Amino acid sequence: MKLPEYHVRLPRLDPEGFKRVLRERRASYEPRFLSGVWRFEELLPRLPSEAIVTLAEGNVPLYESPRGARYAGCDALAYLHLGMNPSGSFKDLGMTVAVSAAKAAGARGVACASTGNTASSMAAYASRAGLNAYALVPRGRVSTSKLAQIYDYGAEVVEVDGSFDDAFARLDGTNDGAVTIVNSVNPYRLEGQKCAAFALLEARGWRVPDWVFVPGGNLGNSAAIGKGFREALELGFIDRLPRLAVVQAAGAAPFARAWSARADLVPVVPQTSASAIAVGSPKSWRKALYEVDASGGVVIAVDDDAIDDAKAAIGAEGIGCEPASAAALAGARALRDESVLRPDADVVAVLTGHTLKDPDAILRIHASRPRYEARAL
Ligand code: F0G
């Protein structure tokens, strides 16, 4: 099913007045304001309040990380930990809006193709909404924790031979419109996920970082976060854009290649141990490209070993994340090595998934590497 582009007409707001309203909402117990998405309701698609399905998503910490800064070689680095969401990943910010919109439209069910996190999130929100949920996942390539979550939240699982891209093709090809697709091709998803940018700025007292690093797979999140920063600028909440750095795994980096060559994206067969971002034909690459270019950003690729190393460093600081998320820190270090990132840079790395999303990866990484605290960090 092809969804129409969704455009939210931004209201005229007094920036300082609205920031005050946001502070009041954070302190309130009104159920929808307990959500770090619906707190920004003026900036979201209008939906009837009885359709809104929320799990109090979006209220995630911004952790200052002096050790991460040393690791990347810059003055200041903080993690926006979107893995601290109800289903353990950033997907919840988009899913609350996509599932609420599906409910408002009278959908009978929702479906997605997924490397695991989209499906876990969809399963949770669909069950809360009383909708059926169908998850198409690549057989043998989804972590045990994510599969367990999908079953636990009551979705139907269809295992497809091949990669995420094969699962997506199957979903697109067989859907006769009876269910709403809630992958990030669904524009409501991006509207919710853009709130990560608002939350990041809000947590910093609206001080704009120099760079924001985001791991890239299907590229919905990079597109959404870039959109959020642009809207914050348009609304007068901030006076410049942070530069957006999208980081892909080297074995699944068609966007990095297209960006460097200034050419159209050529799909690849994805091959990376960061299973969440094993996507060879990202659907939102044009939207993400627009945001990278608008912000003066970059797209880079880092290999699995660099991702594992960064993941061990994040874990050794008591923060933790899943492998795909660690690409953000690995990317900052790589950009510093290339002298694109200046030593005095103020950086935010977006951690997209919780450390318990992929315990097998943790055991694999630590079986082959000295304990991290033994190293000088
Ligand atoms: N980090 C994690 C932990 C993810 O699960 C994903 C995507 C990404 C980063 C990349 O975000 O796709 O918007 O560029 N996971 C999808 C899924 C593919 O099915 O859960 P993106």
Side-chain angles (χ1 to χ4, degrees):
M1 181 176 62
K2 294 276 171 280
L3 284 150
E5 283 287 327
Y6 191 91
H7 290 290
V8 175
R9 196 190 297 268
L10 290 179
R12 274 178 195 279
L13 293 168
D14 160 40
E16 292 316 310
F18 190 63
K19 289 175 187 175
R20 230 177 1 258
V21 168
L22 290 174
R23 273 198 300 276
E24 280 159 20
R25 286 179 185 171
R26 271 197 82 101
S28 111
Y29 286 97
E30 169 70 34
R32 72 184 189 289
F33 295 149
L34 294 178
S35 161
V37 172
W38 296 105
R39 209 147 43 72
F40 303 99
E41 64 181 2
E42 287 84 349
L43 313 179
L44 293 173
R46 292 273 160 195
L47 293 174
S49 55
E50 62 280 8
I52 289 176
V53 186
T54 171
L55 287 164
E57 57 288 317
N59 297 309
V60 300
L62 181 77
Y63 295 127
E64 284 300 330
S65 173
R67 283 213 257 172
R70 279 200 293 285
Y71 186 88
C74 59
D75 273 0
L77 187 139
Y79 299 115
L80 181 73
H81 206 326
L82 296 174
M84 300 302 187
N85 268 299
S87 83
S89 86
F90 71 95
K91 309 285 182 177
D92 295 342
L93 279 80
M95 207 55 76
T96 181
V97 183
V99 170
S100 299
K103 185 177 171 189
R108 278 188 298 114
V110 289
C112 72
S114 178
T115 55
N117 280 330
T118 301
S120 310
S121 181
M122 170 190 74
Y125 284 85
S127 288
R128 296 284 292 175
L131 298 174
N132 295 323
Y134 308 92
L136 279 73
V137 300
R139 191 190 308 278
R141 301 193 197 191
V142 176
S143 81
T144 314
S145 302
K146 295 175 190 177
L147 259 187
Q149 273 188 295
I150 302 166
Y151 283 115
D152 193 40
Y153 300 146
E156 284 213 24
V157 177
V158 180
E159 293 193 288
V160 176
D161 289 321
S163 67
F164 167 87
D165 306 289
D166 298 301
F168 191 90
R170 171 92 171 268
L171 174 71
D172 220 19
T174 52
N175 183 24
D176 57 6
V179 297
T180 302
I181 293 179
V182 292
N183 280 100
S184 55
V185 292
N186 180 323
Y188 290 102
R189 276 276 308 279
L190 301 195
E191 291 304 317
Q193 279 170 220
K194 76 182 180 186
C195 295
F198 305 148
L200 185 163
L201 292 167
E202 195 183 29
R204 291 173 51 99
W206 303 92
R207 264 185 325 104
V208 180
D210 298 319
W211 287 91
V212 174
F213 285 78
V214 187
N218 209 22
L219 296 170
N221 204 34
S222 311
I225 288 179
K227 184 176 197 278
F229 288 129
R230 267 193 307 108
E231 291 186 0
L233 181 67
E234 199 178 320
L235 289 159
F237 298 168
I238 53 175
D239 57 8
R240 67 184 171 94
L241 291 176
R243 299 175 75 180
L244 194 62
V246 179
V247 188
Q248 295 206 287
F255 186 48
R257 224 163 293 154
W259 185 81
S260 304
R262 305 308 296 169
D264 275 0
L265 184 136
V266 180
V268 300
V269 176
Q271 203 58 263
T272 169
S273 53
S275 62
I277 49 174
V279 177
S281 180
K283 301 293 168 288
S284 295
W285 76 270
R286 285 186 195 280
K287 287 187 186 133
L289 179 63
Y290 180 84
E291 303 302 344
V292 169
D293 285 349
S295 75
V298 299
V299 186
I300 54 166
V302 291
D303 64 26
D304 284 358
D305 203 44
I307 292 175
D308 287 352
D309 198 68
K311 176 170 157 45
I314 296 165
E317 207 177 346
I319 292 174
C321 64
E322 67 167 291
S325 310
L329 180 64
R333 182 159 159 143
L335 265 202
R336 182 69 200 96
D337 287 345
E338 290 172 21
S339 300
V340 178
L341 189 72
R342 291 166 42 128
D344 62 351
D346 178 4
V347 170
V348 176
V350 176
L351 300 182
T352 45
H354 195 278
T355 198
L356 292 176
K357 281 285 192 174
D358 198 346
D360 291 341
I362 300 175
L363 299 179
R364 175 184 55 74
I365 290 168
H366 287 275
S368 62
R369 161 177 326 261
R371 281 181 66 78
Y372 218 89
E373 51 271 44
R375 304 217 216 150
L377 258 193

